[in-house]
Amino acid sequence: MMESILAGADQIFSVPTLLTMLLGTIAGIIAAAIPGFTITMAIILTLPLTFGMPPLQGVATMLAVYVGGYTGGLVSAALLGIPGTPSSVATTFDAFPMARRGEPGRALAIGIWASFCGALISTVVLIIAAPPLALIAVKLGPWEYFSLIVFAMTIVASVAGKSMLRGLMAGMLGLLIATVGPDPIMGVPRFTFDTYLLEAGLPFLVVLIGIFAVSQLLSEVEDVDQVKQGEALITGKIVFRPLKVLREILAYPINLIRSSLIGVLVGAVPGAGGSIANLVCYDYAKRGSRTPEKFGTGTPEGIVASESGNSATSGGGLIPMIALGIPGSAVDAILMASLMVHGIGVGPRLIVDHADLVYGMFMAMAIAAMMVLVICLSSMRLFLGVTKVPKSVIVPVVLVLCLIGAFALTQRIADLYLLLGIGIFGYILSKLNYPLAPVVLGAILGPIGESNLRRALMTNEDWTLFFTRPISLVLLVLAVLSIAFSVRSHYRQRHVTRSSG
Amino acid sequence: MAHIVFNGLLAALFIFLFVRAGSYPSSMWEPLGSGTFPRLVLGMLVLFNVMIVVQETRHFLRASPLPAKACRAWIWRHRLMFGVLLLFALLVFAVPTLGFRWSSLVFLFVTQVLLGARHWKSLLIAGVIAVAFSFGVEIVFREVFLISLPRGLLD
């Protein structure tokens, strides 16, 4: 074992590998900061560049893009209120309000440190618990997956805002959006009306950019006086004190560790990932907080939960891949592809036959996390420069970047029309005080939920299996408890507001 | 009132889709057909729509009526937002014809002017930004990321 660790370290700590990892980290941060440019896209674009590299250097470079991407999404989430990637949706809930009230430096620093801690904790868990955790994850059948999705949907109740009814409706709207296009089992086109526009469905990325970015940018130019005076997105003096913020983060150790562990677990479940983890962690942090009413107004707890949770999925996703050869997400599948290009078979024998490679990957994760920390802390003042740019400049520029983001993944012109339509719909929803996060949550979870429900009933028509299989039952009971808890705290909060008002 | 109209329209759309989903085929291999899950979601959506309409009608009946010109005043107050939305819509429809570079160049410059760039110095900055984020970004995507953005008549 020691020999393999040293062999891995020898390859990782070489100048070319460290250099390409550094470039990968920077590319990941920048790519994820552009709304609509996902981490998956950044990894796909990196893959051809790694063909000429030795296997470990190639994978380490891609891991650096991966880890950098999780932190990069924070930049636009905090400064523009637009999640750079689906993994940073929950970051916008508190980082943006904090930046808006004049503390953008604090919001970013909290996010950076939380991301670093999340990635580091997930690497430690990855090293210790890869085989046993992966074994649990692959034991889940379609019944457990469906119950997991039902449980995840109960988060809607927590992010619903003032009206539970509107939150539930928004969540259902997300589920409906996900049903447009080919059905996940038979491929039958649904609600496409034989049009080219809808034949591929409503791509999740276009929904995310339209709902969050376009509607948010339109809201920014509502006040004529503010815009004409050249007001920036965020006003006030920018202060950036990373060490003071580190102490602040360490004041929430339970939140930090719990969110990181949830991130690892969600990441280890194939099909889940950062996009779900950030919302689940946020939900748990809110429930566990002594001041849940502060969530959504710019509390550090919310940023810590979301950012440590989404960064921790990077390590979690590698667990089933390394132990069993099952990719936890699209990104892990691309990482697997890069190993296979080099003739390395991925499966349970990977850790036996190529132990140096596996230990090298563990080290690459930790090094990438440190690189992200150093790069972000040293160049954050550059990012903060964005806050001084007037709205008259930032709004049209980001709208053009949104257009590119919607087009770049599938290169379909129809997606641009969908972006416009969904953007207008999102704006109407936000003006009528419907929460937007449940729409995105529904759109993410809908296809996974539907295909697992149908797969379960295809395997066995007996509905009671959802309640008789132990893990499935536990998840459903947790879902019921979660709703009951949310409804109780919702009414309690309303009661407190009424009596104080 | 906006809630009542919005939810009323959505309920009508969802009922139409619910009926349509009933005609989707089912397979002999599975008990649920293609339309079952959407119908489940649509049914719940209609229920929520009705609940919101009932809730909002009660509020509407209790609330004092808005001044006669309130709607017009709201539109006037949001004129910049409507302007930006119109320009963005024009950009979306111009990209397939004129190509990304030229349509985004015009969009970026005109939108910055609309949002307040009036003096020669700010117009100069607007011009530089427009070129950088249209032609410049197109080059970066083509050469670095190997993604070609839409080309049109002017390319």
Side-chain angles (χ1 to χ4, degrees):
Chain A
M1 184 179 158
M2 203 58 205
E3 211 171 281
S4 305
I5 293 173
L6 289 173
D10 187 41
Q11 292 177 63
I12 283 290
F13 290 101
S14 67
V15 176
T17 307
L18 289 174
L19 199 66
T20 51
M21 278 184 73
L22 185 70
L23 291 174
T25 311
I26 297 169
I29 295 169
I30 294 172
I34 301 171
F37 204 105
T38 61
I39 303 169
T40 314
M41 273 166 73
I43 296 261
I44 290 171
L45 296 171
T46 316
L47 179 63
L49 305 175
T50 64
F51 289 165
M53 300 176 191
L56 186 53
Q57 186 186 355
V59 177
T61 307
M62 288 168 75
L63 281 173
V65 177
Y66 192 13
V67 177
Y70 273 119
T71 308
L74 154 79
V75 177
S76 57
L79 302 185
L80 305 173
I82 299 166
T85 67
S87 327
S88 46
V89 169
T91 309
T92 58
F93 300 163
D94 281 295
F96 187 54
M98 185 183 279
R100 259 291 158 87
R101 66 170 187 234
E103 297 178 292
R106 185 174 166 223
L108 281 177
I110 291 173
I112 293 164
W113 280 114
S115 266
F116 172 71
C117 295
L120 217 59
I121 291 172
S122 85
T123 309
V124 173
V125 176
L126 172 70
I127 295 166
I128 299 168
L133 263 178
L135 280 173
I136 296 171
V138 289
K139 271 186 186 162
L140 303 183
W143 300 270
E144 286 79 17
Y145 270 112
F146 179 72
S147 304
L148 179 70
I149 297 302
V150 171
F151 174 50
M153 275 305 286
T154 61
I155 299 163
V156 167
S158 175
V159 291
K162 285 177 188 163
S163 165
M164 182 77 81
L165 190 55
R166 286 182 209 168
L168 289 172
M169 191 184 132
M172 284 291 147
L173 271 175
L175 288 179
L176 181 67
I177 283 171
T179 64
V180 178
D183 112 59
I185 300 283
M186 293 159 69
V188 175
R190 298 186 298 199
F191 309 130
T192 58
F193 304 100
D194 296 325
T195 55
Y196 167 67
L197 188 70
L198 295 171
E199 71 177 15
L202 299 173
F204 169 65
L205 197 65
V206 178
V207 174
L208 179 80
I209 302 174
I211 288 279
F212 272 106
V214 175
S215 66
Q216 172 67 36
L217 290 167
L218 291 176
S219 305
E220 291 298 342
V221 289
E222 279 178 351
D223 192 325
V224 178
D225 295 330
Q226 270 186 12
V227 177
K228 295 272 178 186
Q229 283 163 15
E231 187 166 295
L233 279 177
I234 293 157
T235 49
K237 199 181 166 207
I238 294 164
V239 182
F240 188 60
R241 293 198 186 105
L243 287 176
K244 190 182 164 204
V245 168
L246 176 62
R247 281 197 294 274
E248 198 177 344
I249 286 178
L250 295 176
Y252 306 107
I254 295 171
N255 184 9
L256 190 67
I257 294 168
R258 180 184 51 211
S259 303
S260 302
L261 292 180
I262 292 174
V264 174
L265 278 171
V266 173
V269 175
S275 49
I276 297 176
N278 73 102
L279 288 160
V280 177
C281 295
Y282 186 85
D283 179 53
Y284 268 87
K286 189 175 175 182
R287 285 158 196 252
S289 171
R290 282 183 195 158
T291 50
E293 70 285 353
K294 284 188 180 168
F295 277 69
T297 60
T299 175
E301 283 179 273
I303 310 172
V304 168
S306 170
E307 279 304 306
S308 57
N310 71 21
S311 290
T313 53
S314 55
L318 288 181
I319 293 170
M321 188 191 118
I322 288 174
L324 295 136
I326 296 168
S329 66
V331 174
D332 299 314
I334 304 160
L335 286 172
M336 266 175 74
S338 84
L339 288 173
M340 285 149 94
V341 164
H342 289 99
I344 295 166
V346 184
R349 287 199 61 81
L350 179 70
I351 202 155
V352 180
D353 297 338
H354 302 279
D356 57 331
L357 188 86
V358 174
Y359 288 118
M361 283 168 74
F362 293 161
M363 281 179 252
M365 286 282 297
I367 294 167
M370 281 175 204
M371 279 181 173
V372 171
L373 182 73
V374 173
I375 292 166
C376 285
L377 289 182
S378 56
S379 62
M380 206 34 76
R381 284 184 194 279
L382 273 178
F383 284 121
L384 285 167
V386 172
T387 56
K388 289 180 183 164
V389 180
K391 283 181 187 177
S392 60
V393 173
I394 208 117
V395 170
V397 166
V398 180
L399 276 173
V400 166
L401 292 177
C402 289
L403 189 94
I404 296 172
F407 177 80
L409 192 67
T410 52
Q411 311 226 345
R412 267 168 37 100
I413 290 290
D415 287 350
L416 301 185
Y417 305 134
L418 290 175
L419 175 73
L420 178 66
I422 293 168
I424 295 171
F425 186 64
Y427 181 73
I428 294 171
L429 282 180
S430 71
K431 284 292 106 186
L432 292 175
N433 294 323
Y434 285 85
L436 298 180
V439 182
V440 176
L441 192 70
I444 296 172
L445 300 176
I448 312 172
E450 184 188 358
S451 47
N452 280 296
L453 173 67
R454 290 170 66 180
R455 225 170 266 150
L457 293 172
M458 267 164 88
T459 316
N460 192 327
E461 285 191 27
D462 186 4
W463 280 87
T464 57
L465 283 172
F466 288 102
F467 307 98
T468 52
R469 289 175 68 103
I471 299 176
S472 173
L473 179 67
V474 167
L475 288 165
L476 289 176
V477 169
L478 283 174
V480 173
L481 289 175
S482 160
I483 291 173
F485 184 82
S486 293
V487 170
R488 200 187 67 152
S489 53
H490 187 79
Y491 281 100
R492 191 180 281 180
Q493 216 167 311
R494 263 176 63 168
H495 180 72
V496 169
T497 319
R498 268 187 200 163
S499 44
S500 63
Chain B
M1 186 65 186
H3 282 283
I4 299 169
V5 174
F6 181 67
N7 280 281
L9 288 173
L10 282 184
L13 172 72
F14 295 152
I15 291 169
F16 166 71
L17 294 177
F18 186 89
V19 174
R20 197 178 170 91
S23 63
Y24 291 141
S26 54
S27 153
M28 59 186 292
W29 305 108
E30 57 167 334
L32 300 183
S34 297
T36 314
F37 187 76
R39 290 189 105 189
L40 204 70
V41 173
L42 285 161
M44 289 179 79
L45 273 170
V46 173
L47 179 74
F48 291 146
N49 287 141
V50 172
M51 286 165 78
I52 292 174
V53 167
V54 171
Q55 200 180 54
E56 291 301 323
T57 307
R58 256 189 269 151
H59 285 165
F60 180 68
L61 292 175
R62 262 186 277 148
S64 49
L66 285 171
K69 288 176 182 171
C71 189
R72 203 182 293 171
W74 187 89
I75 293 172
W76 178 246
R77 227 179 24 249
H78 290 73
R79 61 189 182 279
L80 262 190
M81 187 280 296
F82 283 111
V84 172
L85 180 61
L86 179 70
L87 287 171
F88 186 60
L90 287 174
L91 168 71
V92 166
F93 287 102
V95 165
T97 323
L98 301 178
F100 170 80
R101 288 191 299 189
W102 290 99
S103 32
S104 57
L105 177 80
V106 175
F107 168 78
L108 284 162
F109 188 76
V110 175
T111 312
Q112 287 180 81
V113 172
L114 174 78
L115 294 178
R118 296 287 196 278
H119 305 292
W120 68 269
K121 195 180 161 190
S122 47
L123 283 173
L124 187 72
I125 294 170
V128 172
I129 287 168
V131 173
F133 284 90
S134 54
F135 280 72
V137 162
E138 198 268 344
I139 291 169
V140 170
F141 270 78
R142 181 160 35 89
E143 299 297 330
V144 181
F145 299 132
L146 307 173
I147 292 174
S148 56
L149 297 172
R151 295 188 155 249
L153 296 171
L154 299 174
D155 289 302

